[in-house]
């Protein structure tokens, strides 16, 4: 390698989340300045704004259906929002791109067809637009940037297969002397990730998430000194921190390990982005745009380690397995050859393989694009002469990745106990000794990762690789305050400690926070009625606040209705919404007797007990067929959901209600909880409005709840203004309906904390336990969902958090943990521990398990 001919260069790639957050732009400008000051030429590779590539894909689908969707407006709006936040206007250079996009879509609408070639042109608009906006801002801030169209810089290698050619294109990784010469006089080049041109000059894209790959190609071609991937997490982790709370940052990785993690499903880097850097030994530095002070992960070929070590537990979803079972395989030669010949001729590449005496199971390698049904049918047919063929779709592959895995496994006996709990479809140990992978049903994947991670990471010697845990990185006080406002309890620590004087454990609910959340909901101008889902927290003082603010109540049982009626005997009955699920006939009868609004979510009751519904009016809960949510257990829609009438039964539902003169006055859906994408409810509303075609009397669209609450610093906060905006477009389209929401968690989660006194401590070394006076009997969410609750030692708020600590309760269950690997100061008996965000589904789900009463509850007036 000869880098002496031109100035040394660094490639800075910024991902979608990084460039969408206005607060990052001064940081990005600063980074570019610093690199220039270090004498480096800078090449910035830019992603589309977050969500824009999805919107573009959506616009294509809508155009093929002939719909005039609002996607382009939404895209323009996203850019306007960012421009506003940055204090600039949209630059005129964006206009031709938006115009071209409109034209392309109009063309597709006309011919009702789209080719991969046109798809690539449409998808390319995201990066073209965002990079124009940044060019404008950076120039206004005194940076001499040159905007370059990536299609003039990056040319792909010819590939014959059409789909790959346009939508999953690849480039060679040779040094490109011409390119270097072309850019030599430009100190700061700003270009787009994801897009390139083919030899004929047509636009192509590098596959979803392909901006990383673009950056790696540029680094190789330009012989960069380093490749910096700036993203929304501080590097690669030993597991997905959203799934495993004790996930540790990985400080150093060899290219081979990073490749293995990326291919096994690690979300941070695109698997195709490692190779180009590896070939030229260009160090890849993965860093967090919001916190440039954190070092991140360095990927290179000099990790200096030779010891066996587990690096990560990674999961990949959507895996397809094919197994071929044949008695003739036994003592036969050539069977495997025949099987693989079929995969070869069908041009399907195989990922994992495991064989037994009479069967072979393979996973399909669909890293670039999911394998389509036609291909699978083709394989099934071609393989069937060789034996009994079985196809399993939608599996999860869970991999333990590390160095010399074989050596480590012998010491991990307990691992096999964990495996025994799960149905393994395939187990494969890579010949390169870098991973061990098992394939299970998707539903089991998360749990398996949560169980495996602590088992394989425990007792790892302190070494250069493992950095702080995710929590520890969040805990360093410099976290972006703008992302998550300071919690109310920090400023009131003394008052909380005093409240604990005569208690061992206590739930405290902050009135001011509850009122603020209610006020936020009432500020939604497009929402006509809000019902509080009281199952989240039915404490009388909270019901009172909800009632006094004028909200309604959503009840899921006769007992909840009774609670409301006995506390507020004069309440207007239409403020009570009754949404039972799989209940007895008598529950419906009770709802009608009490004259509250009843929701029906299955055709069975209409068939079995038509008389109950005769001449009544009901709401219908539909299953919109797609679930969103933070955990499998709370994803309440989709084919496996026990909730809602599926689309295909709606006409039957309408017939049955008509037959007994039951009027369907409203339509409801709830798609999961913990949702922070503000557009979610507009989409739900759209689905409901579609379903309304069966129900001419419908006047209400109840969009459900699920409004997300940030759990950790850095989590996305649901933007109520954006939510209102997106509901405005729904309302404009369907002015005939009232819009309802029924949040529960959103109202109370952040207002509540669980306080518990330290009873005992154990351990001084790497694993410390802190026992507190109450556990899963008060708060079962961590045990039940693996939910994350922030934990602090309230008595020692000013001491630096120093030791990874497991906070456990007194219940006789291994699962009785409130938090694992939390960074806390050394705790002592008598200290008060605070578990945050415990206002929703805390006390409401508490029990007397082990005969131990759960924490008492109290409203805090401050
Ligand atoms: N914008 C593209 C995508 O969302 C590429 C990227 O951001 O890496 O897939
Ligand atoms: Mg990415």
């Amino acid at each position: 390698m000869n880098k002496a001919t031109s100035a040394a260069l660094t490639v800075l790639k910024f991902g979608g989340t990084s460039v969408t957050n206005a607060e990052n732009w001064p940081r990005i400008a600063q980074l570019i300045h610093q690199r220039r000051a270090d004498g480096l030429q800078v090449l910035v590779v830019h992603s589309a704004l977050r969500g824009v590539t999805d919107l573009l894909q959506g616009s294509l689908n809508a155009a093929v259906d002939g719909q005039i969707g609002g996607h382009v407006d939404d895209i323009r709006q996203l850019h306007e929002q960012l421009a506003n936040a940055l204090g600039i206007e949209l630059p005129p250079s964006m206009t031709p791109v938006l115009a071209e996009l409109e034209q392309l879509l109009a063309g597709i609408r006309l011919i009702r067809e789209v080719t991969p070639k046109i798809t690539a042109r449409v998808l390319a608009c995201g990066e073209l637009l965002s990079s124009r906006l940044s060019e404008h801002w950076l120039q206004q801030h005194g940076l001499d940037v040159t905007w370059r169209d990536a299609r003039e810089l990056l040319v792909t290698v010819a590939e014959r297969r059409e789909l790959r050619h346009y939508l999953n294109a690849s480039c060679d990784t040779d040094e490109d002397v011409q390119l270097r010469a072309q850019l030599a006089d430009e100190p700061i080049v700003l270009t787009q990730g994801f897009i390139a041109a083919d030899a004929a000059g047509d636009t192509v894209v590098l596959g979803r998430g392909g901006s990383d790959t673009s950056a790696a190609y540029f680094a190789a071609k330009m012989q960069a000194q380093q490749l910096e991937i700036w993203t929304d997490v501080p590097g690669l982790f030993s597991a997905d921190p959203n799934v495993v709370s004790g996930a540790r940052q990985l400080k150093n990785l060899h290219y081979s390990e990073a490749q293995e993690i990326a291919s096994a499903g690690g979300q941070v880097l695109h698997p195709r982005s490692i190779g180009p850097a590896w070939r030229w030994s260009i160090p890849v530095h993965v860093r967090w745009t919001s916190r440039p002070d954190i070092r991140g992960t360095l990927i290179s070929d000099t990790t200096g380690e030779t010891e066996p070590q587990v690096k990560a537990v990674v999961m990949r979803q959507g895996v397809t397995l094919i197994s071929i079972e044949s008695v003739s395989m036994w003592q036969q030669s050539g069977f495997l050859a025949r099987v693989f010949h079929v995969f070869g001729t069908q041009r399907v590449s195989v990922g994992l393989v495991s064989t037994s005496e009479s069967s072979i199971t393979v996973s399909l390698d669909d890293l670039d694009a999911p394998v389509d049904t036609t291909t699978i049918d083709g394989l099934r047919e071609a393989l069937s002469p060789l034996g009994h063929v079985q196809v399993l779709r939608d599996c999860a592959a869970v991999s333990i990745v590390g160095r010399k895995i074989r050596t480590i496994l012998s010491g991990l006996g307990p691992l096999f106990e964990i495996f025994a709990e799960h149905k393994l479809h395939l187990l494969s140990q890579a010949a390169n000794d870098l991973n061990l992978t098992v394939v299970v049903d998707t539903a089991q994947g998360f749990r398996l990762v949560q169980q495996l991670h602590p088992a394989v990471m425990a007792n790892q010697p302190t070494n250069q690789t493992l950095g702080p845990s995710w929590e520890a990185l969040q805990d360093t006080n410099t976290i972006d305050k703008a992302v998550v406002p300071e919690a109310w309890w920090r400023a009131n620590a003394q008052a909380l400690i005093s409240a604990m004087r005569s208690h061992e454990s206590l739930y405290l609910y902050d009135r001011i926070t509850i009122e603020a959340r209610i006020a936020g909901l009432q500020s939604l101008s497009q929402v006509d009625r809000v019902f509080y889902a009281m199952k989240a927290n039915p404490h009388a003082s909270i019901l009172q606040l909800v009632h006094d603010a004028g909200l309604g109540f959503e009840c899921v049982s006769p007992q909840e209705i009774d609670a409301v009626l006995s506390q507020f005997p004069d309440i207007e009955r239409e403020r009570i919404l009754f949404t039972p699920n799989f209940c007895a006939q008598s529950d419906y009868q009770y709802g009608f007797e009490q004259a509250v609004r009843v929701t029906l979510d299955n055709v069975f009751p209409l068939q079995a007990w038509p008389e109950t519904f005769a001449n009544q009016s009901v709401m219908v809960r539909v299953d919109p067929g797609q679930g969103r949510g933070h955990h499998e257990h709370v994803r309440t829609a989709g084919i496996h959901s026990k909730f809602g009438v599926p689309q295909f039964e709606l006409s039957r539902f309408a017939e049955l209600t008509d037959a007994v003169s039951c009027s369907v006055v409203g339509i409801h859906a709830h798609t999961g909880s913990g949702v922070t994408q503000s557009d979610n409810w507009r989409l739900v509303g759209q689905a409901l409005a579609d379903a309304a075609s069966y129900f001419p009397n419908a006047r209400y669209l109840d969009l459900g709840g699920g409004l997300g609450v940030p759990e950790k610093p850095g989590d996305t906060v649901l933007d109520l203004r954006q939510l209102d905006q997106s509901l405005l477009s729904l309302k404009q389209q369907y002015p005939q309906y009232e819009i309802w929401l029924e949040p529960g968690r959103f109202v109370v989660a952040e207002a509540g904390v669980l306080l518990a006194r330290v009873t005992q401590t154990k351990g001084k070394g790497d694993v410390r336990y802190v026992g507190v006076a109450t556990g899963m009997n008060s708060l079962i969410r961590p045990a039940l969902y693996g939910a994350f609750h922030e934990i602090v030692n309230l008595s020692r708020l000013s001491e630096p958090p120093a030791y990874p600590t497991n906070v456990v309760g007194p219940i006789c269950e291994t699962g009785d943990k409130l938090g694992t690997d939390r960074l806390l100061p050394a705790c002592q008996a008598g200290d008060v521990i605070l578990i945050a965000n415990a206002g929703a589904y805390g006390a409401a789900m508490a029990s007397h398990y082990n005969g131990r009463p759960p924490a008492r509850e109290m409203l805090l007036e401050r």
Side-chain angles (χ1 to χ4, degrees):
M1 247 187 303
N2 175 13
K3 291 180 189 168
T5 44
S6 52
L9 172 124
T10 183
V11 175
L12 304 180
K13 183 258 170 178
F14 294 98
T17 308
S18 298
V19 295
T20 306
N21 181 351
E23 283 161 34
N24 279 333
W25 278 99
R27 296 188 187 112
I28 293 174
Q30 170 81 13
L31 284 169
I32 299 176
H33 271 301
Q34 276 168 5
R35 299 298 177 273
R36 290 294 301 139
D38 292 343
L40 292 166
Q41 187 187 5
V42 176
L43 186 119
V44 176
V45 176
H46 201 291
S47 281
L49 298 193
R50 185 182 53 217
V52 166
T53 312
D54 288 336
L55 280 169
L56 288 166
Q57 188 64 56
S59 74
L60 280 166
N61 302 342
V64 173
D65 289 344
Q67 292 170 24
I68 317 210
H71 297 91
V72 180
D73 293 336
D74 291 348
I75 290 170
R76 192 196 314 265
Q77 242 179 48
L78 281 174
H79 288 85
E80 267 162 7
Q81 273 166 17
L82 176 58
N84 277 342
L86 289 171
I88 54 171
E89 300 279 311
L90 289 190
S93 54
M94 287 174 65
T95 316
V97 187
L98 285 165
E100 181 180 325
L101 175 60
E102 297 271 20
Q103 274 175 343
L104 287 166
L105 293 173
I108 298 167
R109 263 197 299 275
L110 194 65
I111 49 178
R112 298 289 179 92
E113 194 181 304
V114 61
T115 59
K117 184 168 164 177
I118 304 292
T119 302
R121 281 190 57 189
V122 168
L123 294 184
C125 293
E127 269 73 6
L128 290 168
L129 289 169
S130 63
S131 61
R132 280 301 193 186
L133 185 59
S134 319
E135 173 200 20
H136 186 54
W137 187 87
L138 287 169
Q139 279 172 350
Q140 287 206 347
H141 286 76
L143 282 161
D144 180 19
V145 296
T146 318
W147 184 93
R148 297 297 299 259
D149 189 325
R151 293 169 294 189
E152 286 162 15
L153 309 179
L154 212 53
V155 177
T156 60
V157 289
E159 265 264 13
R160 286 286 140 239
R161 287 169 67 201
E162 200 136 286
L163 189 78
R164 281 192 65 85
H165 174 74
Y166 287 106
L167 300 179
N168 257 310
S170 42
C171 300
D172 71 56
T173 57
D174 296 343
E175 176 179 358
D176 189 338
V177 184
Q178 253 178 323
L179 181 65
R180 287 174 72 182
Q182 203 184 334
L183 300 176
D185 297 329
E186 292 163 5
I188 309 168
V189 180
L190 171 66
T191 191
Q192 308 79 39
F194 185 49
I195 66 181
D198 67 5
D202 283 335
T203 304
V204 301
V205 294
L206 305 182
R208 292 308 304 274
S211 288
D212 295 339
T213 315
S214 295
Y217 285 145
F218 278 115
K221 287 175 177 297
M222 299 285 293
Q223 296 290 295
Q225 181 173 306
Q226 59 177 351
L227 168 57
E228 303 175 43
I229 305 277
W230 289 89
T231 180
D232 55 353
V233 281
L236 274 71
F237 277 76
S238 61
D240 179 348
N242 290 316
V243 177
V244 177
S245 62
R248 306 273 297 268
Q249 189 197 35
L250 299 166
K251 292 194 286 187
N252 301 295
L253 288 174
H254 188 269
Y255 293 110
S256 58
E257 296 164 332
Q259 178 68 62
E260 208 68 26
I261 291 174
S263 309
Q267 310 271 324
V268 181
L269 276 181
H270 194 278
R272 273 162 61 193
S273 65
I274 317 271
W278 191 352
R279 173 174 175 199
W280 297 101
S281 297
I282 300 167
V284 182
H285 207 161
V286 183
R287 302 182 65 178
W288 191 9
T289 316
S290 309
R291 293 285 306 277
D293 56 311
I294 293 178
R295 185 181 162 279
T297 302
L298 182 64
I299 303 164
S300 68
D301 48 14
T302 49
T303 65
E305 283 174 38
T306 47
E307 293 302 297
Q309 197 192 23
V310 175
K311 296 287 162 70
V313 180
V314 191
M315 174 165 97
R316 195 149 74 83
Q317 287 177 275
V319 171
T320 304
L321 288 185
I322 298 194
S323 71
I324 305 108
E325 199 155 342
S326 162
V327 272
S328 64
M329 182 173 164
W330 192 61
Q331 290 188 340
Q332 285 276 320
S333 60
F335 175 76
L336 291 182
R338 286 201 294 280
V339 168
F340 284 107
H341 180 72
V342 171
F343 285 95
T345 49
Q346 303 275 328
R347 308 198 60 165
V348 175
S349 112
V350 163
L352 305 163
V353 181
S354 84
T355 61
S356 76
E357 298 261 290
S358 62
S359 76
I360 166 164
T361 305
V362 304
S363 78
L364 303 189
D365 179 8
D366 49 5
L367 274 190
D368 284 338
V371 182
D372 58 84
T373 329
T374 332
T375 310
I376 292 186
D377 290 345
L379 277 174
R380 196 198 286 270
E381 203 181 304
L383 288 168
S384 58
L386 300 175
H388 176 64
V389 181
Q390 240 191 321
V391 178
L392 273 178
R393 302 212 73 160
D394 254 334
C395 298
V398 174
S399 306
I400 301 173
V401 182
R403 190 183 283 269
K404 300 189 184 160
I405 284 286
R406 229 175 310 218
T407 351
I408 305 165
L409 288 182
S410 56
L412 287 176
L415 215 60
F416 291 93
E417 274 170 37
I418 296 174
F419 286 151
E421 247 186 62
H422 300 266
K423 182 168 186 309
L424 307 188
H425 297 305
L426 179 152
L427 186 144
S428 135
Q429 194 222 318
N432 62 7
D433 215 6
L434 286 169
N435 83 56
L436 176 101
T437 300
V438 298
V439 180
V440 295
D441 290 336
T442 295
Q444 294 182 14
F446 287 105
R447 173 133 181 82
L448 183 56
V449 172
Q450 284 168 346
Q451 290 173 312
L452 281 179
H453 185 270
V456 297
M457 301 307 284
N459 309 322
Q460 292 259 3
T462 326
N463 59 56
Q464 308 182 36
T465 299
L466 291 180
S469 71
W470 173 254
E471 280 77 55
L473 285 163
Q474 311 292 324
D475 269 349
T476 38
N477 284 320
T478 39
I479 289 293
D480 242 347
K481 289 286 190 301
V483 181
V484 178
E486 166 127 317
W488 61 269
W489 42 262
R490 275 196 195 273
N492 294 281
Q494 270 322 312
L496 303 196
I497 291 179
S498 314
M500 272 290 278
R501 213 169 284 142
S502 48
H503 297 274
E504 289 307 295
S505 63
L506 187 63
Y507 268 114
L508 273 183
Y509 306 129
D510 181 43
R511 182 175 57 76
I512 295 175
T513 305
I514 297 173
E515 286 173 347
R517 291 300 169 272
I518 293 177
L521 291 166
Q522 289 178 324
S523 75
L524 295 168
S525 59
Q526 303 306 317
V527 175
D528 298 283
R529 274 191 234 192
V530 178
F531 296 87
Y532 169 58
M534 66 181 281
K535 61 180 176 293
N537 190 331
H539 192 257
S541 62
I542 292 175
L543 298 188
Q544 191 71 48
L545 294 175
V546 167
H547 173 267
D548 295 352
L551 266 51
F553 294 89
E554 194 244 345
C555 306
V556 292
S557 66
Q559 292 72 15
E560 286 192 348
I561 298 177
D562 285 345
V564 174
L565 290 180
S566 68
Q567 198 172 340
F568 315 109
D570 301 329
I571 189 169
E572 307 89 81
R573 296 303 162 101
E574 75 235 30
R575 280 174 69 184
I576 301 179
L577 184 60
F578 180 36
T579 317
N581 170 253
F582 284 104
C583 65
Q585 181 184 14
S586 54
D587 284 7
Y588 295 111
Q589 284 165 342
Y590 184 76
F592 291 126
E593 271 159 37
Q594 297 303 323
V596 301
R597 196 151 310 284
V598 175
T599 302
L600 192 50
D601 78 341
N602 192 2
V603 293
F604 179 94
L606 290 167
Q607 286 162 335
W609 319 304
E611 66 285 3
T612 304
F613 300 93
N615 306 313
Q616 297 285 3
S617 64
V618 295
M619 303 275 292
V620 55
R621 176 169 181 171
V622 304
D623 178 351
Q626 178 206 19
R628 276 201 188 162
H630 59 74
H631 188 280
E632 196 67 25
H633 296 170
V634 292
R635 241 167 259 164
T636 48
I639 32 173
H640 300 300
S641 166
K642 82 169 178 128
F643 298 100
V645 180
Q647 314 274 343
F648 61 87
E649 275 182 351
L650 287 177
S651 62
R652 180 88 187 112
F653 190 96
E655 279 164 28
L656 290 167
T657 41
D658 277 351
V660 292
S661 303
C662 174
S663 178
V664 179
V665 293
I667 306 175
H668 164 59
H670 175 76
T671 49
S673 77
V675 181
T676 51
Q677 298 100 317
S678 55
D679 206 30
N680 176 61
W681 293 270
R682 180 179 67 83
L683 298 172
V684 173
Q686 189 77 49
L688 293 187
D690 292 344
S693 61
Y694 295 98
F695 308 108
N697 296 332
R699 301 191 297 279
Y700 317 120
L701 300 184
D702 177 353
L703 312 184
L707 286 75
V709 170
E711 293 188 334
K712 308 182 188 105
D715 275 3
T716 317
V717 179
L718 174 67
D719 186 330
L720 287 181
R721 262 176 315 168
Q722 272 181 29
L723 168 61
D724 208 24
Q725 271 291 315
S726 87
L727 291 181
L728 175 63
S729 66
L730 181 71
K731 205 53 181 260
Q732 281 166 344
Q733 212 176 340
Y734 304 103
Q736 68 271 40
Y737 299 117
E738 265 190 31
I739 293 181
W740 295 2
L741 282 184
E742 44 178 69
R745 194 175 158 61
F746 182 82
V747 178
V748 285
E750 293 156 286
V753 293
L754 172 61
L755 303 177
R757 204 175 291 286
V758 174
T759 51
Q760 303 186 15
T761 61
K762 181 177 182 175
K764 279 225 172 327
D766 275 352
V767 187
R768 297 185 179 226
Y769 285 89
V770 165
V772 292
T774 192
M776 66 193 290
N777 53 327
S778 290
L779 183 66
I780 200 173
R781 299 185 76 247
L784 190 62
Y785 308 134
F788 177 90
H789 290 264
E790 189 179 355
I791 300 181
V792 299
N793 185 330
L794 207 56
S795 309
R796 297 173 196 278
L797 268 187
S798 56
E799 293 176 31
Y803 306 101
T805 308
N806 296 336
V807 180
V808 299
I811 303 299
C812 289
E813 284 283 339
T814 323
D816 185 26
K817 290 180 191 141
L818 296 167
T820 36
D821 288 329
R822 302 311 178 83
L823 227 52
L824 294 179
C827 300
Q828 285 178 23
D831 286 356
V832 175
I833 299 291
L834 176 144
I835 297 109
N837 264 3
Y841 304 100
M845 290 172 94
S847 73
H848 280 72
Y849 187 35
N850 279 196
R852 294 187 183 274
R856 300 263 304 270
E857 300 167 86
M858 222 167 88
L859 187 73
L860 179 77
E861 299 282 356
R862 54 177 166 106

